[in-house]
Amino acid sequence: EPEVTQTPSHQVTQMGQEVILRCVPISNHLYFYWYRQILGQKVEFLVSFYNNEISEKSEIFDDQFSVERPDGSNFTLKIRSTKLEDSAMYFCASRDGTGKEKLFFGSGTQLSVL
Amino acid sequence: GQNIDQPTEMTATEGAIVQINCTYQTSGFNGLFWYQQHAGEAPTFLSYNVLDGLEEKGRFSSFLSRSKGYSYLLLKELQMKDSASYLCAVRDMGAAGNKLTFGGGTRVLVKP
C-alpha cells in the first residue's frame, strides 16, 4: 500500500528556534493535513491544505505556524519560534478526495523542545 | 464545534469480544471513522460509516446511528496484538478540508 512519509522521525530543538517538519504525501492525493498529538492526549487537527492553499486551520495554528507545498511532492510544516508546549508528535496525513476518503497518516515526527 | 466521547480504557481476555462505544455531537456530520493506534505509532484506518447500520470487515465491525449520535466498534476473537488505542473520529461537512475530529481514544488491553 502507498505510504505517507515524514522526516525526520525525531527532532530536538531549543526553545525559540525554527523547525521544519517534512512530509511526502501519497502521490495522487489532493488534500493534505497536519495533526499533532501531545503525549497521552488526543490527536488534534492543525491545518488542512488543498489546491495550494489553506482550507481550514484550528486555533492552535497561530502565526508561528505555516505550511507550504514547495514542489509537486513535499508538504512542510514550519514552526517559526518553538515553545516548550509545541513538544508533541506531529502527523502528516493525506487523502485522495474520492470514495471513502479515509486519511492516510505518516509515521510522525516526534518534536522535543528543550 | 464537535464533542466526541468514548471510554478511556477497557480490558478484555484473548479470544473474547469487546465493544467500544462512541457518542458525538456535531454541527455537520459527514462520516464517522475508527482508527487503531499502537503506542508511538500513527493511527491506521479500520472502518468508515456514513449511513446507519453495521459495516463488517473481518474481526472488526462498526455500527452507526446518526439519529442517536452513536457508534460502536466491535472487536471479535481478540488477539494480543489488538492491544492498542482505538480512536473514534467524525468528519465535518464544514470547510473544503473536511477535517477529522478525534475523540480521546479508548485504550484496550488484551490479557491472556
Side-chain angles (χ1 to χ4, degrees):
Chain A
E1 189 167 60
E3 288 184 342
V4 175
T5 56
Q6 288 185 244
T7 53
S9 56
H10 292 83
Q11 174 88 51
V12 180
T13 190
Q14 295 290 325
M15 191 169 57
Q17 294 296 303
E18 174 183 287
V19 294
I20 298 176
L21 309 184
R22 301 180 191 279
C23 170
V24 179
I26 294 171
S27 63
N28 62 339
H29 282 189
L30 302 176
Y31 297 83
F32 314 113
Y33 304 81
W34 283 101
Y35 284 80
R36 79 172 186 190
Q37 187 174 30
I38 295 169
L39 185 64
Q41 297 186 23
K42 63 181 172 182
V43 176
E44 298 176 291
F45 168 77
L46 293 179
V47 65
S48 58
F49 192 87
Y50 169 71
N51 202 25
N52 284 320
E53 60 182 17
I54 290 173
S55 47
E56 190 174 359
K57 59 184 180 180
S58 72
E59 55 208 28
I60 302 169
F61 194 89
D62 62 22
D63 292 344
Q64 294 301 311
F65 290 85
S66 62
V67 289
E68 201 175 43
R69 187 155 163 82
D71 51 44
S73 59
N74 291 284
F75 180 52
T76 61
L77 175 69
K78 183 194 289 186
I79 309 175
R80 246 177 290 281
S81 177
T82 49
K83 303 188 282 274
L84 295 177
E85 53 265 37
D86 294 328
S87 295
M89 179 76 92
Y90 287 80
F91 293 109
C92 174
S94 68
R95 67 180 178 94
D96 64 8
T98 63
K100 287 188 176 181
E101 301 188 41
K102 67 183 182 184
L103 285 189
F104 291 80
F105 283 84
S107 54
T109 295
Q110 180 64 55
L111 177 65
S112 298
V113 182
L114 306 178
Chain B
Q2 292 168 331
N3 195 31
I4 301 169
D5 288 314
Q6 50 182 131
T8 307
E9 199 169 283
M10 302 180 75
T11 302
T13 307
E14 196 175 10
I17 298 172
V18 70
Q19 177 175 316
I20 305 168
N21 296 323
C22 172
T23 57
Y24 64 88
Q25 295 166 321
T26 180
S27 51
F29 177 81
N30 194 21
L32 187 140
F33 295 75
W34 285 95
Y35 279 80
Q36 180 190 61
Q37 186 180 31
H38 285 100
E41 297 182 11
T44 54
F45 171 80
L46 289 178
S47 71
Y48 166 70
N49 296 71
V50 67
L51 299 176
D52 291 352
L54 189 68
E55 293 280 341
E56 295 187 86
K57 195 192 281 189
R59 294 189 298 114
F60 294 172
S61 305
S62 57
F63 171 83
L64 175 68
S65 168
R66 288 172 295 169
S67 62
K68 294 181 180 174
Y70 168 70
S71 173
Y72 67 73
L73 179 70
L74 196 69
L75 315 181
K76 294 179 254 188
E77 300 168 20
L78 279 172
Q79 301 174 8
M80 299 299 290
K81 68 178 182 180
D82 297 330
S83 291
S85 286
Y86 292 85
L87 315 182
C88 175
V90 173
R91 187 166 67 196
D92 191 341
M93 196 184 277
N98 278 342
K99 70 174 190 285
L100 292 188
T101 300
F102 285 85
T106 299
R107 196 160 70 179
V108 171
L109 177 62
V110 181
K111 293 186 172 178

